[in-house]
Amino acid sequence: MTVLSPKPSTETAKLNDGSEIPYVALGCWKSSPEDAYNAVLTAIKAGYKHIDTAHIYQNEEGVGKAIRNCGVPREELFVTTKLWNTNHRDPLAALNDSLKRLGLDYVDLFLVHWPVPFKKPASDAEEQFFVKRKGDPTKFDNDYDWDFVKTWELVQKLPTSKCKSVGVSNMSVTNLKTLLNAPSTTKVPACNQVEMHPYLPQHALLKFCQEKGIQVEAYSPLGSTGSPLLKDETIVELSKELGISPATLVISWAVNRKVVVLPKSVTPSRIESNLSIVQLPDDVMEKISLIYKTHPQRILCRDWGVPVFNDEIEA
Ligand code: A2P
């Protein structure tokens, strides 16, 4: 039996614009502002250098406050936030609003959260993220006169003083090809942040992004709420054989594939242990990469009103 000893991850990947991105980040989706504040402080104390948030998570204030209070110089940290669907027509205003909520002068990475422009709500007295279509409350109020290519045309020109790198999220190969082939696209996105875990390894998307110099980031790496991946039979068996926890195994699998990984936790002991990873043997990597064949699953499925996940859960 091989027993591996996990070590805190300090490795970074180089983005196509020259910036360095730490492989293991604290994910903040589904954390309340108070939980996010405490989680970010715990994470940075434990050695994390990379924190991932978004406008829609509604915790930028807590995340930013922790970054400002943590005692680690800002330039040593990598902070990501994301443009919400209602702001596709004005990315600069969205970035400025996020910076205001974060209380920071810049973010390291600004992502277009979804390739799905929504109409701006008539009133933003109470901020509305998921506005419903008039006459059909089962549908979102899509902005069909706009598209993600136009959004990117604006995003790629955002001042680097306010966002060092720019990228996309939830982009399929089909949508990425549309973006990269558009005459208005002059900048290749630095990152594509997508749902990725052993039930959705996205082998073809990863290969495509790696060929194009786009760094892939994995959200919901443990399977999101309740971390279902950690109870998977193969994962449990392999982690026992290697003498590591299921979480360490799954997080290490991502980094071993050169994928930036964003495990979310608000539990101090988990936040601490999730930073430590191992180098996995090739046969273990192979076994984890094949689990989806019997358990294919995308967790975040929704009718967005436009094609988003237009590549099948691929072989
Ligand atoms: P909690 O935040 O209560 O600690 P994902 O990263 O895929 O979004 O998964 C997040 C879920 O996994 C949350 O429910 C989180 O719980 C849980 N989680 C995070 N790290 C671990 C861990 N090391 N062991 C077990 N569960 C974990």
Side-chain angles (χ1 to χ4, degrees):
M1 185 175 76
T2 337
V3 176
L4 301 170
S5 50
K7 303 243 169 9
S9 169
T10 53
E11 228 192 307
T12 57
K14 204 175 195 116
L15 299 180
N16 61 19
D17 57 16
S19 296
E20 304 270 342
I21 185 168
Y23 269 109
V24 181
L26 177 74
C28 294
W29 182 31
K30 299 184 183 169
S31 300
S32 70
E34 299 72 28
D35 282 349
Y37 175 76
N38 291 319
V40 171
L41 280 184
T42 304
I44 294 174
K45 202 166 164 215
Y48 284 72
K49 300 286 187 216
H50 181 176
I51 309 294
D52 183 276
T53 185
H55 182 195
I56 186 69
Y57 302 168
Q58 298 179 69
N59 57 23
E60 285 173 310
E61 282 91 350
V63 167
K65 192 171 156 207
I67 287 164
R68 284 179 279 116
N69 290 354
C70 71
V72 172
R74 171 67 187 93
E75 61 276 15
E76 289 180 21
L77 301 172
F78 190 102
V79 182
T80 300
T81 196
K82 311 181 191 93
L83 169 131
W84 183 242
N85 299 355
T86 45
N87 294 320
H88 273 243
R89 284 178 185 254
D90 198 349
L92 180 58
L95 174 61
N96 283 335
D97 287 346
S98 275
L99 291 176
K100 212 163 157 194
R101 285 185 294 268
L102 286 159
L104 300 176
D105 298 330
Y106 69 93
V107 285
D108 296 272
L109 179 61
F110 190 53
L111 301 177
V112 180
H113 207 149
W114 290 91
V116 185
F118 284 172
K119 284 197 193 136
K120 193 111 183 118
S123 152
D124 54 11
E126 173 128 335
E127 205 160 20
Q128 295 179 65
F129 290 97
F130 293 99
V131 183
K132 297 289 158 53
R133 207 173 294 173
K134 275 195 197 81
D136 188 352
T138 64
K139 299 267 192 302
F140 295 129
D141 201 9
N142 295 77
D143 184 353
Y144 286 122
D145 295 327
W146 195 260
D147 62 50
F148 61 79
V149 171
K150 289 183 185 162
T151 313
W152 187 254
E153 195 178 346
L154 302 175
V155 168
Q156 66 192 354
K157 292 183 199 140
L158 287 172
T160 50
S161 57
K162 292 187 174 184
C163 59
K164 296 201 182 289
S165 301
V166 286
V168 292
S169 181
N170 295 298
M171 287 290 268
S172 62
V173 171
T174 306
N175 283 343
L176 276 174
K177 281 184 181 164
T178 302
L179 183 65
L180 296 178
N181 292 333
S184 56
T185 297
T186 54
K187 202 181 252 189
V188 175
C191 292
N192 182 22
Q193 185 179 125
V194 296
E195 178 182 335
M196 189 177 272
H197 43 69
Y199 290 166
L200 189 68
Q202 310 227 49
H203 294 301
L205 177 70
L206 180 58
K207 184 166 176 279
F208 179 85
C209 288
Q210 287 176 337
E211 282 166 5
K212 300 291 178 194
I214 302 169
Q215 176 63 49
V216 172
E217 300 184 82
Y219 72 75
S220 300
L222 312 178
S224 198
T225 308
S227 53
L229 259 302
L230 306 185
K231 292 166 207 120
D232 176 87
E233 212 182 311
T234 311
I235 296 293
V236 170
E237 202 177 295
L238 288 170
S239 56
K240 271 191 195 143
E241 275 174 29
L242 296 166
I244 57 178
S245 73
T248 303
L249 181 67
V250 171
I251 294 166
S252 301
W253 171 76
V255 179
N256 281 217
R257 296 172 91 208
K258 302 271 172 224
V259 167
V260 168
V261 63
L262 322 166
K264 174 265 171 188
S265 180
V266 294
T267 312
S269 58
R270 291 172 173 176
I271 294 170
E272 283 157 20
S273 63
N274 287 347
L275 183 64
S276 289
I277 57 167
V278 293
Q279 176 72 47
L280 292 171
D282 290 348
D283 63 316
V284 173
M285 287 297 293
E286 182 89 16
K287 279 181 194 157
I288 302 174
S289 295
L290 290 174
I291 293 175
Y292 80 100
K293 294 231 174 209
T294 43
H295 286 97
Q297 193 193 0
R298 184 183 285 282
I299 293 156
L300 193 63
C301 300
R302 227 177 203 158
D303 175 6
W304 287 102
V306 290
V308 174
F309 304 124
N310 35 15
D311 306 328
E312 296 301 311
I313 290 186
E314 86 287 336

